[in-house]
Amino acid sequence: KKEISRYEQTGKYRTAEKHQFILNKLEHYLKTKKNRTDINFNELTVPFLTEYEAYLKNDLGNHQNTYYTDFKNIRTIYRNAIYQQVVEQHTYPFFQVKLHQIPSVKEKLSPDEIVTIQKLKLKEGTAIWHARNYFLFSYYCAGMRWGDVCTLKWSNITDEQRLRYRMGKNHKLVDMELPEQALAILQYYKTPDARDSDFIFPLLKKKKDYSNPKVLKKSISSKNTVIDREMKNIAGLAHIRINLTFHISRHSFAFHLYLKTKDVNAVQTALRHSSLQETQKYLMELGATELDSELRDFYKQ
């Protein structure tokens, strides 16, 4: 709980929220299965963690990657406790508890499916029309995340028609030339009285105070739910079979950039990943590897 408070005080609200969710599950387990409300670090033994893993799997029906994430974050808290001398290192149970994650698969669209979405006949000004604009704008702007689309202001568009903003997730600077397709979308939203301080897209309210990060995050999350509903409608009209959500714009951009360039470093730079290994894993989960072409060449021999 102290760590969650520290995350909140340092502005790491996503991390705090994630840890709170994990703590809630642990507290519910203690209350319903152990008839208690608290636990000490030195009680997080291998047998206890083994029982808890079985509870997450069998009672809650959590996927292996879900309780992998839970245990990974509990491990981080335990390490912080050792560093802060709250508990001694010899009690650390994760030398023996090995965490295993199942490789996940990220959904993405094909280039043809992006074109199909572009060509859909949608009535201008409708909710589904706006949703398509947001999705395609994200795709054209190197897979811009939903929160950044929501908070984008006209001040983020330079006179040289460049996009310049800091990512909400990690505060990394993005400075890129806007492609013609993105500029065309912006024209729909540019009004004669638009000010630099105005949001570009009609998602967040102009006069509402978003200085409280929790208020901002709640508003962004609420709008995301609405837009994802429209994305499902778009998928139906475009005969797209995957569960289409807004974030798939980022997956699709990364996949298509790699198909075009075969350059992992270019994808890493575009996505602003911290390491090449992160990008390689990301692409692997998208199925973007050289294996298909290598097998094709092999069978031609």
Side-chain angles (χ1 to χ4, degrees), residues 78-203:
Y78 207 117
R79 287 175 176 173
N80 290 350
I82 293 172
Y83 178 75
Q84 297 170 29
Q85 298 182 333
V86 174
V87 63
E88 295 183 6
Q89 186 171 354
H90 70 83
T91 64
Y92 183 69
F94 290 97
F95 290 127
Q96 298 157 281
V97 176
K98 302 302 180 184
L99 307 183
H100 300 285
Q101 183 179 26
I102 298 174
S104 60
V105 177
K106 296 183 185 296
E107 298 281 16
K108 77 277 186 183
L109 298 176
S110 69
D112 287 344
E113 287 172 324
I114 291 289
V115 172
T116 300
I117 291 175
Q118 291 169 341
K119 292 182 176 180
L120 284 178
K121 301 296 184 182
L122 304 176
K123 185 177 180 181
E124 186 172 331
T126 58
I128 194 171
W129 178 83
H130 283 295
R132 177 178 64 180
N133 286 348
Y134 307 148
F135 182 86
L136 291 177
F137 185 83
S138 165
Y139 176 80
Y140 297 138
C141 294
M144 181 185 284
R145 294 185 178 89
W146 173 247
D148 296 327
V149 170
C150 286
T151 57
L152 203 64
K153 296 183 177 182
W154 288 110
S155 58
N156 297 121
I157 311 299
T158 71
D159 293 337
E160 296 79 24
Q161 296 186 326
R162 297 184 66 82
L163 173 64
R164 187 175 295 146
Y165 73 100
R166 287 198 177 275
M167 291 180 167
K169 183 176 181 179
N170 50 32
H171 307 294
K172 292 181 180 179
L173 178 65
V174 175
D175 189 343
M176 61 172 286
E177 181 181 359
L178 282 164
E180 291 181 3
Q181 298 95 322
L183 290 170
I185 291 173
L186 290 177
Q187 289 305 309
Y188 289 121
Y189 298 94
K190 186 73 171 179
T191 60
D193 60 341
R195 297 176 297 180
D196 283 352
S197 58
D198 290 343
F199 295 117
I200 291 178
F201 301 113
L203 292 161

Side-chain angles (χ1 to χ4, degrees), residues 33-90:
K33 298 295 184 179
K34 301 295 184 181
N35 195 28
R36 54 190 299 185
T37 59
D38 211 342
I39 191 170
N40 295 321
F41 276 101
N42 56 20
E43 292 179 285
L44 292 175
T45 60
V46 173
F48 176 89
L49 292 173
T50 301
E51 287 183 20
Y52 186 53
E53 180 181 346
Y55 165 79
L56 294 174
K57 179 181 179 180
N58 300 323
D59 290 47
L60 299 190
N62 285 175
H63 187 273
Q64 182 169 330
N65 286 356
T66 301
Y67 52 81
Y68 164 83
T69 301
D70 284 15
F71 273 53
K72 186 176 69 171
N73 285 283
I74 292 171
R75 183 180 64 184
T76 297
I77 295 295
Y78 207 117
R79 287 175 176 173
N80 290 350
I82 293 172
Y83 178 75
Q84 297 170 29
Q85 298 182 333
V86 174
V87 63
E88 295 183 6
Q89 186 171 354
H90 70 83

